[in-house]
Amino acid sequence: MTSPDIQRAATILRAGGVVAFPTETVYGLGGDAGRSETIARIFAVKGRPLDNPLIVHVADQTGLEAVAAEVSPLARRLAEHFWPGPLTLVVQATDAVRPATAGLDTVAVRVPDHPVAQALLLAAGIPVAAPSANRSGRPSPTTAAHVRADLGGDVDFVLDGGPCTVGVESTVVDARGVVPVVLRPGAVTAEELAAVAPSTANGAQPHRSPGTRHAHYQPSCRVEIAPPGMGAARAGELAAAGQRVAVLASTPADSGVHELGPFTGTADLARRLYGALREAERLAVDVIVVEAVAPEGIGRAVMDRLERAAGVGFPPPADA
Ligand code: TXA
Ligand code: MG
């Protein structure tokens, strides 16, 4: 990854092409947020449902003012506090980014905290719509190799910035009102948000982003969630019963199972989860056992993604 690579990627974006690029959370598949044909191509390459809007990436807060019809005092405060970083703000949209909004009158905007993403956005000088660079329904990519495995020759360029440091996606917050409303849990924790802008809502949020309606993040093997501390034991049990097993747990597993950990804490699990799901698939195991963590801090986003990967609450359609 060199500066000429960034220039090349920026030129492709400005010409209406699509480029995969690293962020601190996951890799994105970017294109000019103002061009309908580019956005249509992003949806086609991913196989993404057309009613699921894209996040628009900008270099700084000035970029927000350019794509938002109105920036509330709350949005401004959150942007000042959390950008660059893994917080996405939903605000009233301008026509400049209409293609990315899937017909909504709002747009989701974020400033990624990654030197390559920053350099790319500055060089391109346009708002860049970018969903995660996976095929729809699959685990999000946290390395350039994951992007190539899913999208291969369907993208014009892949910028390789190494492995993502956070590993789960940004927190999506509706920032139009006076209190933040979390639409998707993510890397900025509820606790961090509450410290800056207390929310009146507590407990389960009835509001969700369109993209959280569907099952997601699923590898081709079965995903089983083990209780905290029990991952290695559960993996051993399944292996003893004759299954081919991979495990991502807080303690090392016995021989006879594919060890994908151990993870050292919740942030480490966040970083490794999507890669482990893909690795289990490559190993062609019957099941990957992932050990649960407490749903607090970034653990809330980790458990949300893990439950979706395991299909918890998302039964397959009757004819599947
Ligand atoms: O960390 C991330 O957010 C990554 C990196 C690449 O920035 N991007 C990402 O994009 O996760 P994607 O497309 O996989 O997820 C975007 C989420 C979806 O759940 C979508 O429904 C929601 O953001 N979203 C986008 N625009 C919205 C809007 N106007 N209102 C509510 N939710 C919105
Ligand atoms: Mg995604």
Side-chain angles (χ1 to χ4, degrees):
M1 224 290 314
T2 62
S3 173
D5 284 341
I6 289 172
Q7 289 308 325
R8 179 176 163 201
T11 304
I12 293 170
L13 287 176
R14 294 180 64 86
V18 296
V19 169
F21 63 96
T23 80
E24 76 279 33
T25 59
V26 302
Y27 274 72
L29 176 60
D32 184 341
R35 290 197 194 216
S36 309
E37 65 286 2
T38 302
I39 301 304
R41 190 174 153 208
I42 289 176
F43 276 89
V45 165
K46 278 189 58 100
R48 183 179 178 99
L50 293 174
D51 64 353
N52 192 4
L54 307 184
I55 294 174
V56 172
H57 298 68
V58 294
D60 51 34
Q61 237 177 292
T62 318
L64 170 67
E65 310 283 342
V67 301
E70 201 183 317
V71 179
S72 67
L74 172 67
R76 203 158 279 127
R77 184 147 40 96
L78 293 174
E80 267 155 25
H81 198 275
F82 290 104
W83 284 356
L87 182 73
T88 294
L89 299 175
V90 171
V91 295
Q92 213 60 38
T94 62
D95 284 337
V97 288
R98 201 59 72 193
T101 63
L104 300 178
D105 56 6
T106 55
V107 62
V109 188
R110 92 172 184 101
V111 175
D113 185 15
H114 191 291
V116 174
Q118 275 285 333
L120 176 65
L121 291 166
L122 282 172
I126 51 171
V128 174
S132 51
N134 51 285
R135 280 213 200 278
S136 205
R138 306 252 312 130
S140 300
T142 51
T143 67
H146 296 161
V147 176
R148 290 193 197 97
D150 266 22
L151 306 180
D154 292 346
V155 302
D156 297 319
F157 195 55
V158 179
L159 267 176
D160 188 344
C164 300
T165 52
V166 176
V168 294
E169 299 84 348
S170 64
T171 305
V172 180
V173 166
D174 187 338
R176 288 173 297 166
V178 288
V179 296
V181 177
V182 175
L183 304 177
R184 176 181 74 174
V188 165
T189 67
E191 294 83 352
E192 287 167 333
L193 263 178
V196 176
S199 160
T200 49
N202 49 33
Q205 282 288 356
H207 312 278
R208 304 289 280 175
S209 272
T212 61
R213 279 193 227 117
H214 312 286
H216 244 112
Y217 316 108
Q218 295 180 318
S220 54
C221 62
R222 203 152 56 76
V223 179
E224 187 178 312
I225 304 174
M230 302 295 290
R234 179 59 183 153
E237 233 170 70
L238 291 167
Q243 300 207 35
R244 287 166 299 163
V245 185
V247 63
L248 180 56
S250 63
T251 56
D254 293 336
S255 58
V257 307
H258 290 280
E259 174 69 77
L260 302 177
F263 61 79
T264 57
T266 306
D268 190 41
L269 174 58
R271 227 171 353 253
R272 295 165 80 157
L273 176 62
Y274 290 142
L277 295 177
R278 285 173 179 267
E279 182 61 6
E281 191 170 71
R282 201 189 61 78
L283 292 165
V285 294
D286 300 310
V287 57
I288 174 173
V289 174
V290 184
E291 189 175 300
V293 290
E296 44 190 57
I298 200 171
R300 201 172 278 117
V302 169
M303 290 311 296
D304 171 76
R305 307 308 191 266
L306 185 51
E307 284 171 4
R308 279 161 204 282
V312 177
F314 297 92
D319 61 347

